[in-house]
Amino acid sequence: MIRVKVVGATGYGGVGITELVLQHPEAKLVSLVAREDVGQSIAAVYPHLQGFCDLPVLAADDPRAAEPADVVFFATPDKVGMSAARTELSRGAKVIDYSGDFRFTTVEAYADYATRIGKEPTHASPDLLGRNAYGLAELHRDEIRKTDIVGNPGCFACSCILGLAPAASAQLLAPNSVICDCKTGVSGAGKKMNATYHYPARYEQMNAYKLAGHQHVCEVERELSLQAKADIKVTFTAQVVPVCRGILSTLYGTLTRPTSEADLLALYRDFFKNSPFVRVYGSTVSNIGTLNVRGTNFCNLVVSVDTRVNRLRIVAYIDNLMKGQAGSALQNMNLMFGLPETTGLNHPGIYP
Amino acid sequence: MIRVKVVGATGYGGVGITELVLQHPEAKLVSLVAREDVGQSIAAVYPHLQGFCDLPVLAADDPRAAEPADVVFFATPDKVGMSAARTELSRGAKVIDYSGDFRFTTVEAYADYATRIGKEPTHASPDLLGRNAYGLAELHRDEIRKTDIVGNPGCFACSCILGLAPAASAQLLAPNSVICDCKTGVSGAGKKMNATYHYPARYEQMNAYKLAGHQHVCEVERELSLQAKADIKVTFTAQVVPVCRGILSTLYGTLTRPTSEADLLALYRDFFKNSPFVRVYGSTVSNIGTLNVRGTNFCNLVVSVDTRVNRLRIVAYIDNLMKGQAGSALQNMNLMFGLPETTGLNHPGIYP
Amino acid sequence: MIRVKVVGATGYGGVGITELVLQHPEAKLVSLVAREDVGQSIAAVYPHLQGFCDLPVLAADDPRAAEPADVVFFATPDKVGMSAARTELSRGAKVIDYSGDFRFTTVEAYADYATRIGKEPTHASPDLLGRNAYGLAELHRDEIRKTDIVGNPGCFACSCILGLAPAASAQLLAPNSVICDCKTGVSGAGKKMNATYHYPARYEQMNAYKLAGHQHVCEVERELSLQAKADIKVTFTAQVVPVCRGILSTLYGTLTRPTSEADLLALYRDFFKNSPFVRVYGSTVSNIGTLNVRGTNFCNLVVSVDTRVNRLRIVAYIDNLMKGQAGSALQNMNLMFGLPETTGLNHPGIYP
Amino acid sequence: MIRVKVVGATGYGGVGITELVLQHPEAKLVSLVAREDVGQSIAAVYPHLQGFCDLPVLAADDPRAAEPADVVFFATPDKVGMSAARTELSRGAKVIDYSGDFRFTTVEAYADYATRIGKEPTHASPDLLGRNAYGLAELHRDEIRKTDIVGNPGCFACSCILGLAPAASAQLLAPNSVICDCKTGVSGAGKKMNATYHYPARYEQMNAYKLAGHQHVCEVERELSLQAKADIKVTFTAQVVPVCRGILSTLYGTLTRPTSEADLLALYRDFFKNSPFVRVYGSTVSNIGTLNVRGTNFCNLVVSVDTRVNRLRIVAYIDNLMKGQAGSALQNMNLMFGLPETTGLNHPGIYP
């Protein structure tokens, strides 16, 4: 059994990976660490876990938190994992970090990202950069299998990169033409209270935010540029709507050569033919939306072309807490431990 | 493997049992029958099932629907299962029916129920009555194990009976004092469209309905009277609120003798000590609600006493589509086939 | 023009009365006082007011807050209005307080209430008690017209008292038989953030709370006992559901003498014949719920009788922020200034 | 008093204009016509109107529907108003139609639109085309004042045109670069039931639809091209999210010349300086969204520029049933009758 430690266990990202590990046939939880609710049973914090897990929430410096683990999930904000990873690695654990700390492989790329989110641009463990992999399995499966440090993708980024990578890799995207219009459910902002996510302030509210720039743009541009072998710039709009789970990203780009929807569809299906969690649809599909991927690790992509203006449009749907967070993290764990990537993730969710 | 046939496969009750069987280690689907969407793949009707089940939706008289099954779930309205059960039984299948058709064991009790819901009072298979069991495992475990016909409880009834059975069995409930104030999410009304469940008509709407009498009262009164060995009458109020899944039933009764909350709590915990899906809490518990049982087969009960007027109050929470429907149905299947009753149901759901 | 000052202007109760006064033909705002957002324009805090009101939010001790007003609304928590009222009264203003501070007319009754909500039981202005009126216009119209201090009712209390007063006044309610099962939308808890009202924690959550006792019971029992000329005790359950605005209270009581629904309906209609904001329906009505009173000062009452057990059941619907708060407050202002009580309140709301 | 007749009175568009006229100081309802609920009082269909309007719902051919009116609102689907308008005009009434019937001024433009929505391309009253005006007051105020036939804009179109007209009129939009990414609440689809708007199917569902082309594109392209004096092509994406009221349209276009956000903001504010229902904000604004315009006739616009790629981005917020429908219709009525355009519309809505 893979022994699992979760740091940041009481946030949505932490409880998400906890739920998944509890159902995983080859993994088991050994310790839960967090800054809040220390000393309580996790089942007191999350009563749906009663009868399934009664581990206590430990402070980071609790001796029990040093119990041997084979993998440590850092479901923590920026700047936490980068400092704590070294200790875990030295104890022989692999590390999967949810934040931006290990999404970049050079100090320069990290500094650019950190500056954008208003953080100190220096990385605390520059020597670990380069050894890490970007945890989007569909694009970096082999690197993830070989590394012991994974930076899990941002939730918006995951939907945008999956939605545009096939077109980018076929050099179909005109540079500077790419727009990512992204809508997220409220759980994307986490468990922390915020006046704009107070129920009465949100139930009929949809709005754009961070118009000056969202931190996920860095990884989207990096990944698309890698695929395209060219410099891709993205205009990115983050919006929040009153659903709990779900991201709907509508992605636009001017085609470098006329391409029919049928050809684009074939390209996408071929690109993802070995990716069990990506489903590709043509534009005539109906009843495909966020509710149809909720609670699952799937990404649904709907492909279309506005032929009048030679523009492709991809609509991507994921569950921000699953494929956009804990689901991808578990998929990465599976890869890092030589398991089929669907292990413990192969279920359809519930409807409605 | 237990071979499973689902009749009424395209409704919420049908897709619910389909999802559960797909994850069950000892059961597999062999055929899906419905009146709508005949000829389509179930994954076309419910796209979240794509990659998990591609069985076609069959008409009831399709020869493929006669393929041998070990159990048939009738996720159908009243009057369907009572006629079709005989054929399935004669083929050697066990039958689990979601409607009122097999909740009663005498033609008189059925007639009373049928009259109340405005249906023809004659039962189509009177000879099968008496052989059937009422499918609330917590009260009828042994009978369910021995029978081949189970009438699954009504969703409201399930919450009311679980909430009041311990008090009734201890003769604590004054006759004529019992009130069940029940609130359900909209999925309780099923997949069929209805003007009052159109999103804009419902999102800020909560209301009582069927004030003249709800059909679930019959089984609540029967079961509580059985427990109490006395005639219990219930005032029942059905209300619908804008959630998808969830029942919150607040249950009141005058105590026949002064009883402290501590004593009541002990009574309840003892009553359910062998029931893995019932959790009992005292009144000081917080953050226990419908969201904490969503997607699961659990029933959370919160026990309290208004000592000033000598009245008990039990708050019961279930997922109407799970413990209130498909979950109980699978629990019954487990019992009927000699499996642990938690098989395929032992998961905590996801949060949030 | 009636000059209006609002204290606690930035909460939901404050913005509610602000919206109403802006549309009132005989009143105008002169100052807005609050503890948060001081110095900002109210339109910066509530952008929907842009172009309608640009008054600054003032600290309580700002000299501009002492500008003469004819009426002061205290949309403030317990213990604020009782201390500040005297100064406003001495300046010649009338006072309408939203909290429990002026709902009781004796120090003993206040102490009982304060103890129940865990507050210091001493009233800061005992000499003002007795001079004040309870601000439920339908029962205390004449007293409100004559006083200069009104204690606005609690939102739950408003629905319960309106729903049961006719039966109580006709001595139809058996003592100790009354149950108030109350469900509120989330706005009832105000603007202050709370982990249980964070959108993801609430969107599919319904739950009971304060099972040990809700503070509104005091005024419900007092008012019903006054009507009944007997001691009425109430079992009260507070529940919160994921709607923004709306209270649905289901009220039960054993009848002291057999009464048909028709007779009860006649009694209720007669009782409220001079109350323009109360609508009474029989149990066969459909499509009456919280959405049908949202944004308005109406209370919809649905009357029914469970003849089998001789129990009445009244379903009461209000908008907790209107009839349950700011709407009643304005209705009281109208009465105190000799205006028709519907002035500025006579609109149907919008649908859906 | 302006005598008002509403055709299609029982849909959301009909009840919306009914609510507005009931509060309008210079107008009164004389007759309500619809195909459903004929013979009932409108207050039976919409109980919130009880006490405000007891007009019966009339069939179109009921003699009482021919009672003289000064203005007739056709809150009806395509193809109804174009046939019925002539009779109303001949009786001396002005006509305001919600559908596409009078949004175009030539038979060719109409045919193009009708073809796109799968309707017969022939206009039933070609002689009336040219006499009509497009009912977006902010761009066509003078024409609306002079005509007696107005085609009210589509809800999405209203948000897109207001959001891009200033840039188009300043020739800032590169042809073929314009993208309208539009999200609507469910009420935009009207009162008619639909499986995808059944509450359980929608509450956590967001999705794109009509990817092959939405009918509102025609008017958006026509209006922007008129402003730009050039041929503007638009890629349009319609999306529906689980809110009731509200449109959030995110509008993108490549700038023909570098323009700062400050300059763009100045341009927009100047363009709308005489338009009381348009508010313009810079990108640093926060807490501006659909909830802040709900129930009102306002359009909130947030202006920003992605300088890296020289692209403008406008975020437009309206209430689809107000500025996107009944509100604009009443604004048009005011203009046609020489009243200030804000008459009966000058209120901020309620929050939350």
Side-chain angles (χ1 to χ4, degrees):
Chain A
M1 295 293 271
I2 303 164
R3 295 166 300 175
V4 175
K5 173 178 173 178
V6 179
V7 184
T10 56
Y12 291 162
V15 72
I17 193 69
T18 297
E19 290 163 355
L20 288 172
V21 172
L22 284 170
Q23 303 288 312
H24 194 285
E26 308 283 342
K28 66 168 184 177
L29 294 164
V30 294
S31 62
L32 302 176
V33 171
R35 295 173 62 166
E36 302 192 338
D37 301 312
V38 171
Q40 291 197 56
S41 158
I42 191 69
V45 182
Y46 286 108
H48 71 299
L49 297 180
Q50 188 182 322
F52 296 91
C53 183
D54 58 1
L55 287 173
V57 178
L58 305 175
D61 58 1
D62 189 301
R64 290 171 290 174
E67 193 169 332
D70 301 304
V71 62
V72 179
F73 291 92
F74 284 95
T76 44
D78 280 278
K79 297 288 185 187
V80 175
M82 67 165 65
S83 298
R86 189 184 314 280
T87 305
E88 302 294 353
L89 292 164
S90 73
R91 288 174 181 150
K94 300 178 195 290
V95 164
I96 299 172
D97 185 283
Y98 285 27
S99 81
D101 286 9
F102 291 111
R103 288 182 197 154
F104 304 92
T105 53
T106 66
V107 292
E108 295 76 16
Y110 178 77
D112 177 36
Y113 162 81
T115 303
R116 190 178 287 245
I117 60 170
K119 301 273 181 186
E120 158 60 40
T122 310
H123 197 283
S125 300
D127 56 310
L128 297 179
L129 298 184
R131 172 174 163 182
N132 59 319
Y134 183 66
L136 190 61
E138 286 71 15
L139 299 188
H140 298 280
R141 205 166 264 124
D142 291 341
E143 298 156 65
I144 296 165
R145 284 197 181 104
K146 291 176 199 154
T147 190
D148 54 4
I149 315 178
V150 163
N152 220 42
C155 53
F156 279 136
C158 174
S159 67
C160 296
I161 298 167
L162 290 176
L164 290 172
S169 75
Q171 277 77 44
L172 276 172
L173 296 177
N176 292 359
S177 78
V178 178
I179 295 174
C180 298
D181 191 281
C182 300
K183 305 92 189 173
T184 184
V186 183
S187 67
K191 188 187 180 186
K192 199 165 185 302
M193 288 186 286
N194 179 307
T196 69
Y197 304 134
H198 186 48
Y199 187 91
R202 177 52 54 188
Y203 81 115
E204 275 278 277
Q205 179 76 312
M206 47 177 172
N207 64 286
Y209 67 102
K210 288 194 186 172
L211 289 172
H214 191 281
Q215 66 273 17
H216 291 175
V217 176
C218 301
E219 48 191 296
V220 176
E221 294 186 341
R222 194 260 319 267
E223 292 293 310
L224 296 182
S225 297
L226 274 173
Q227 291 292 323
K229 301 184 177 63
D231 188 31
I232 303 275
K233 288 261 182 307
V234 168
T235 295
F236 184 96
T237 308
Q239 291 150 103
V240 60
V241 301
V243 305
C244 177
R245 286 171 177 255
I247 282 177
L248 157 50
S249 291
T250 312
L251 312 166
Y252 303 91
T254 301
L255 289 161
T256 53
R257 51 185 189 273
T259 309
S260 70
E261 182 181 311
D263 285 349
L264 203 62
L265 194 54
L267 169 71
Y268 270 67
R269 289 190 164 147
D270 185 63
F271 189 93
F272 290 117
K273 64 177 182 290
N274 296 318
S275 289
F277 291 118
V278 181
R279 298 167 176 146
V280 181
Y281 302 90
S283 67
T284 55
V285 73
S286 64
N287 73 352
I288 295 290
T290 52
L291 186 53
N292 309 106
V293 295
R294 187 186 49 158
T296 82
N297 203 46
F298 288 91
C299 174
N300 283 352
L301 297 178
V302 182
V303 170
S304 64
V305 177
D306 185 345
T307 52
R308 298 186 313 156
V309 291
N310 204 34
R311 180 176 287 130
L312 68 73
R313 175 181 52 191
I314 312 295
V315 186
Y317 300 101
I318 61 169
D319 179 332
N320 55 295
L321 294 181
M322 285 291 291
K323 186 63 186 161
Q325 195 176 63
S328 272
L330 194 75
Q331 188 179 358
N332 289 329
M333 183 196 84
N334 286 336
L335 290 168
M336 294 166 90
F337 287 86
L339 298 170
E341 71 190 83
T342 56
T343 309
L345 285 169
N346 202 27
H347 64 84
I350 59 174
Y351 186 93
Chain B
M1 295 293 270
I2 302 165
R3 296 166 299 175
V4 176
K5 172 178 174 177
V6 179
V7 184
T10 57
Y12 290 161
V15 73
I17 194 67
T18 296
E19 291 163 353
L20 288 173
V21 172
L22 285 170
Q23 302 289 311
H24 194 285
E26 307 284 343
K28 66 168 185 178
L29 293 163
V30 293
S31 62
L32 302 176
V33 171
R35 294 173 63 166
E36 301 193 340
D37 301 313
V38 172
Q40 291 197 56
S41 157
I42 191 68
V45 182
Y46 285 108
H48 71 299
L49 297 181
Q50 188 182 322
F52 295 91
C53 182
D54 59 1
L55 287 173
V57 178
L58 305 176
D61 58 1
D62 189 300
R64 290 171 290 174
E67 193 168 333
D70 300 305
V71 62
V72 179
F73 290 92
F74 283 96
T76 42
D78 280 279
K79 298 287 184 187
V80 175
M82 66 166 64
S83 297
R86 191 185 311 281
T87 305
E88 302 293 352
L89 292 165
S90 72
R91 288 173 181 152
K94 298 178 196 291
V95 164
I96 299 172
D97 185 283
Y98 285 28
S99 80
D101 286 9
F102 291 110
R103 288 182 197 154
F104 304 92
T105 53
T106 65
V107 291
E108 294 77 17
Y110 178 76
D112 177 37
Y113 164 80
T115 302
R116 191 179 285 245
I117 60 170
K119 300 274 182 186
E120 159 59 40
T122 310
H123 196 284
S125 301
D127 56 310
L128 297 179
L129 298 185
R131 171 174 164 183
N132 58 319
Y134 183 65
L136 190 60
E138 285 72 16
L139 299 188
H140 299 279
R141 206 167 262 124
D142 291 339
E143 298 156 64
I144 296 166
R145 283 197 181 104
K146 292 177 197 153
T147 189
D148 54 3
I149 314 179
V150 164
N152 220 43
C155 52
F156 279 136
C158 175
S159 67
C160 297
I161 299 166
L162 290 176
L164 290 172
S169 76
Q171 277 78 44
L172 276 171
L173 296 177
N176 291 0
S177 78
V178 178
I179 295 174
C180 297
D181 191 282
C182 301
K183 307 90 189 174
T184 184
V186 183
S187 66
K191 189 188 180 186
K192 197 164 185 305
M193 288 186 285
N194 178 307
T196 69
Y197 304 133
H198 186 48
Y199 187 91
R202 177 52 54 187
Y203 82 115
E204 275 278 278
Q205 179 76 314
M206 47 178 173
N207 64 285
Y209 67 102
K210 288 194 185 172
L211 289 172
H214 191 281
Q215 66 273 18
H216 290 175
V217 177
C218 300
E219 49 192 294
V220 176
E221 294 186 340
R222 193 260 319 267
E223 291 293 308
L224 295 183
S225 297
L226 274 173
Q227 292 291 323
K229 300 184 178 62
D231 187 32
I232 303 274
K233 288 259 182 311
V234 169
T235 295
F236 183 97
T237 308
Q239 292 150 102
V240 60
V241 301
V243 305
C244 177
R245 286 169 177 255
I247 282 178
L248 158 48
S249 292
T250 311
L251 312 166
Y252 303 91
T254 301
L255 289 160
T256 52
R257 51 185 187 274
T259 310
S260 70
E261 182 182 309
D263 286 348
L264 203 61
L265 195 53
L267 168 72
Y268 270 67
R269 288 190 165 146
D270 184 64
F271 189 93
F272 290 117
K273 64 176 182 289
N274 296 318
S275 290
F277 291 119
V278 181
R279 296 167 176 146
V280 181
Y281 301 90
S283 68
T284 55
V285 74
S286 64
N287 73 352
I288 295 290
T290 52
L291 186 54
N292 308 107
V293 294
R294 186 188 50 159
T296 82
N297 202 47
F298 287 91
C299 174
N300 283 354
L301 297 178
V302 182
V303 170
S304 64
V305 176
D306 186 344
T307 53
R308 299 187 313 157
V309 292
N310 203 34
R311 181 176 287 131
L312 69 71
R313 176 180 51 189
I314 311 296
V315 186
Y317 300 101
I318 61 169
D319 179 332
N320 56 295
L321 294 180
M322 286 291 290
K323 186 62 187 160
Q325 195 176 62
S328 272
L330 194 75
Q331 188 179 357
N332 289 329
M333 183 195 85
N334 286 336
L335 289 169
M336 294 166 90
F337 287 87
L339 298 170
E341 70 190 82
T342 56
T343 310
L345 285 169
N346 202 27
H347 64 84
I350 60 174
Y351 186 92
Chain C
M1 295 293 270
I2 302 164
R3 295 165 301 175
V4 175
K5 172 178 174 177
V6 180
V7 183
T10 57
Y12 290 163
V15 72
I17 193 68
T18 297
E19 290 164 355
L20 288 173
V21 171
L22 285 171
Q23 303 288 312
H24 193 286
E26 308 284 343
K28 66 167 185 178
L29 294 163
V30 293
S31 62
L32 302 176
V33 171
R35 293 173 62 166
E36 301 192 340
D37 301 312
V38 171
Q40 291 197 57
S41 159
I42 191 69
V45 182
Y46 285 108
H48 71 298
L49 296 181
Q50 188 182 321
F52 295 91
C53 181
D54 59 1
L55 287 173
V57 178
L58 305 175
D61 59 0
D62 189 301
R64 289 171 290 174
E67 192 169 333
D70 300 304
V71 62
V72 179
F73 291 91
F74 284 96
T76 44
D78 280 278
K79 298 286 185 188
V80 175
M82 66 166 66
S83 297
R86 190 185 312 279
T87 305
E88 302 294 352
L89 292 164
S90 72
R91 287 174 181 151
K94 300 177 195 290
V95 164
I96 299 172
D97 184 283
Y98 283 29
S99 80
D101 286 9
F102 291 110
R103 288 181 197 155
F104 304 92
T105 53
T106 67
V107 290
E108 294 76 17
Y110 178 76
D112 178 37
Y113 163 82
T115 302
R116 190 178 287 245
I117 60 170
K119 301 273 183 187
E120 158 60 41
T122 311
H123 197 284
S125 301
D127 57 308
L128 297 179
L129 298 185
R131 173 173 162 184
N132 58 319
Y134 184 65
L136 190 61
E138 285 72 15
L139 299 188
H140 298 280
R141 205 166 264 123
D142 290 341
E143 299 157 64
I144 296 166
R145 282 197 181 104
K146 291 175 196 153
T147 188
D148 54 4
I149 314 179
V150 164
N152 220 42
C155 52
F156 278 136
C158 174
S159 67
C160 297
I161 298 166
L162 290 176
L164 289 172
S169 76
Q171 277 79 43
L172 276 171
L173 296 177
N176 292 358
S177 77
V178 177
I179 295 174
C180 298
D181 191 281
C182 301
K183 306 91 188 173
T184 184
V186 183
S187 66
K191 188 188 181 185
K192 199 165 183 305
M193 288 186 286
N194 179 306
T196 69
Y197 305 133
H198 186 49
Y199 187 91
R202 177 53 51 188
Y203 82 115
E204 275 277 277
Q205 179 76 315
M206 47 177 173
N207 65 286
Y209 66 103
K210 288 193 185 173
L211 289 171
H214 191 282
Q215 67 273 18
H216 291 175
V217 177
C218 300
E219 49 193 292
V220 176
E221 294 187 340
R222 194 258 321 267
E223 291 293 309
L224 295 183
S225 297
L226 274 173
Q227 292 290 323
K229 301 184 177 61
D231 188 32
I232 303 275
K233 287 261 182 307
V234 169
T235 294
F236 184 96
T237 308
Q239 292 150 103
V240 60
V241 301
V243 306
C244 178
R245 287 170 176 254
I247 282 177
L248 158 49
S249 291
T250 312
L251 312 166
Y252 304 91
T254 300
L255 289 161
T256 52
R257 52 185 187 272
T259 309
S260 70
E261 182 181 310
D263 285 349
L264 204 62
L265 194 54
L267 169 71
Y268 270 67
R269 288 190 165 146
D270 184 64
F271 190 93
F272 290 118
K273 65 176 183 288
N274 296 318
S275 289
F277 291 118
V278 181
R279 296 165 176 148
V280 181
Y281 302 90
S283 68
T284 56
V285 74
S286 64
N287 74 353
I288 294 290
T290 52
L291 186 53
N292 308 107
V293 294
R294 186 186 50 158
T296 81
N297 202 47
F298 287 92
C299 174
N300 283 353
L301 297 178
V302 182
V303 170
S304 64
V305 176
D306 185 345
T307 53
R308 298 186 314 156
V309 292
N310 203 35
R311 181 176 287 130
L312 68 72
R313 177 180 51 191
I314 311 295
V315 186
Y317 300 101
I318 62 169
D319 180 331
N320 57 294
L321 294 181
M322 286 291 291
K323 186 62 187 163
Q325 196 177 63
S328 272
L330 194 75
Q331 187 179 358
N332 289 329
M333 182 196 86
N334 286 336
L335 289 169
M336 293 166 91
F337 287 86
L339 297 171
E341 69 189 83
T342 56
T343 309
L345 285 169
N346 201 28
H347 64 85
I350 60 174
Y351 187 93
Chain D
M1 295 292 271
I2 303 164
R3 296 166 300 175
V4 175
K5 172 178 175 179
V6 179
V7 184
T10 57
Y12 290 162
V15 72
I17 194 69
T18 296
E19 290 163 354
L20 289 173
V21 171
L22 285 170
Q23 303 289 312
H24 194 285
E26 308 283 343
K28 65 167 186 179
L29 294 163
V30 293
S31 62
L32 303 176
V33 171
R35 293 174 62 166
E36 301 192 340
D37 301 313
V38 171
Q40 291 196 58
S41 158
I42 191 68
V45 183
Y46 286 109
H48 70 300
L49 297 181
Q50 188 182 323
F52 295 92
C53 182
D54 59 1
L55 286 173
V57 178
L58 305 175
D61 59 1
D62 188 302
R64 290 170 291 175
E67 193 168 332
D70 300 305
V71 62
V72 179
F73 291 92
F74 284 96
T76 44
D78 280 279
K79 298 288 185 187
V80 175
M82 67 165 63
S83 296
R86 190 185 312 281
T87 305
E88 302 294 352
L89 293 164
S90 72
R91 286 174 182 150
K94 300 179 195 290
V95 164
I96 299 172
D97 184 282
Y98 283 29
S99 80
D101 286 9
F102 291 110
R103 288 181 196 155
F104 304 92
T105 52
T106 67
V107 291
E108 294 77 15
Y110 178 77
D112 177 36
Y113 163 82
T115 302
R116 188 179 287 245
I117 60 170
K119 301 273 182 185
E120 157 61 38
T122 311
H123 197 284
S125 301
D127 56 310
L128 297 179
L129 298 185
R131 172 173 162 183
N132 58 319
Y134 183 66
L136 190 61
E138 285 73 16
L139 299 187
H140 298 281
R141 205 167 263 123
D142 291 340
E143 298 156 64
I144 296 166
R145 282 197 182 104
K146 290 177 197 153
T147 188
D148 54 4
I149 315 179
V150 164
N152 220 44
C155 54
F156 279 136
C158 174
S159 67
C160 297
I161 298 166
L162 290 176
L164 289 171
S169 76
Q171 277 79 42
L172 276 171
L173 296 177
N176 292 359
S177 77
V178 178
I179 295 175
C180 298
D181 190 281
C182 301
K183 305 92 188 172
T184 184
V186 183
S187 66
K191 189 188 180 185
K192 198 165 185 305
M193 289 186 285
N194 179 306
T196 68
Y197 304 134
H198 186 48
Y199 187 91
R202 176 54 52 189
Y203 81 115
E204 274 278 277
Q205 179 77 313
M206 48 178 173
N207 65 286
Y209 66 103
K210 288 193 184 173
L211 290 171
H214 191 283
Q215 66 274 18
H216 291 175
V217 177
C218 300
E219 50 193 293
V220 175
E221 294 187 339
R222 194 258 320 266
E223 291 294 309
L224 295 183
S225 298
L226 273 173
Q227 292 291 323
K229 301 184 177 62
D231 187 31
I232 304 275
K233 289 260 182 306
V234 169
T235 295
F236 184 97
T237 308
Q239 291 149 103
V240 60
V241 301
V243 305
C244 177
R245 287 170 176 254
I247 283 176
L248 157 50
S249 291
T250 312
L251 312 166
Y252 303 91
T254 301
L255 289 161
T256 53
R257 51 186 189 272
T259 309
S260 70
E261 181 181 311
D263 286 349
L264 204 62
L265 195 53
L267 169 70
Y268 270 66
R269 288 190 165 145
D270 184 64
F271 189 92
F272 290 118
K273 64 177 183 286
N274 296 319
S275 289
F277 291 118
V278 181
R279 297 166 175 146
V280 181
Y281 302 90
S283 68
T284 56
V285 74
S286 64
N287 73 353
I288 295 290
T290 52
L291 186 53
N292 309 107
V293 295
R294 185 187 50 159
T296 82
N297 203 46
F298 287 91
C299 175
N300 283 354
L301 298 177
V302 181
V303 170
S304 64
V305 177
D306 185 345
T307 53
R308 298 186 314 155
V309 291
N310 204 33
R311 180 176 289 130
L312 68 73
R313 177 180 51 190
I314 311 295
V315 186
Y317 300 102
I318 62 169
D319 179 332
N320 56 293
L321 295 181
M322 286 291 291
K323 186 62 187 163
Q325 195 177 62
S328 272
L330 194 75
Q331 188 179 359
N332 288 329
M333 182 196 86
N334 286 337
L335 289 169
M336 294 166 90
F337 286 87
L339 298 170
E341 70 190 81
T342 56
T343 309
L345 285 169
N346 202 28
H347 64 85
I350 60 175
Y351 186 93

